[in-house]
Amino acid sequence: MSSFKHLSVNQLVHMTESTPVQIVDIRDGNSFSNGHIDGAFNLNNENLAQFISQADMDKPLVVVCYHGISSQNAAQYLCEQGFDDVYSLDGGFSAWHGANA
């Protein structure tokens, strides 16, 4: 069984410059509406099955939460669903926002 990898904000920036990446943000809808990484999809329990059925299982998938803790469990779950290249963003949206504010 594959496992997710950790990704820093800097690594994410470099990855998105050279590779098409799927970014899912698992924070609540209100937090997502107040700010998110460009191109991110707000993934939640209601749209999870639809996302999995429509997503590209071979394209890198980055999971973002508030501080990089909850995203680890979600990233592992997505690995178990068949995604090949899954990352948890270390520091979460807080770290990304701090580096890009």
Side-chain angles (χ1 to χ4, degrees):
M1 177 174 64
S2 65
S3 183
F4 73 93
K5 298 172 262 316
H6 290 271
L7 191 70
S8 71
V9 170
N10 194 36
Q11 289 171 312
L12 174 59
V13 169
H14 289 298
M15 180 186 282
T16 58
E17 290 172 352
S18 61
T19 307
V21 176
Q22 303 171 99
I23 301 173
V24 294
D25 188 323
I26 62 170
R27 297 175 302 141
D28 69 274
N30 192 42
S31 295
F32 182 83
S33 295
N34 287 331
H36 56 270
I37 298 172
D38 287 343
F41 176 76
N42 190 208
L43 186 64
N44 57 48
N45 288 336
E46 286 75 40
N47 63 21
L48 177 63
Q50 180 181 1
F51 174 79
I52 291 172
S53 71
Q54 295 176 348
D56 184 341
M57 297 289 200
D58 299 321
K59 188 186 290 186
L61 177 65
V62 179
V63 184
V64 179
C65 66
Y66 295 97
H67 302 289
I69 306 301
S70 299
S71 58
Q72 295 178 51
N73 288 332
Q76 186 58 47
Y77 175 80
L78 291 166
C79 283
E80 293 165 3
Q81 302 312 303
F83 287 90
D84 291 330
D85 198 14
V86 183
Y87 301 86
S88 171
L89 183 64
D90 290 339
F93 181 76
S94 294
W96 184 89
H97 185 263
N100 293 281

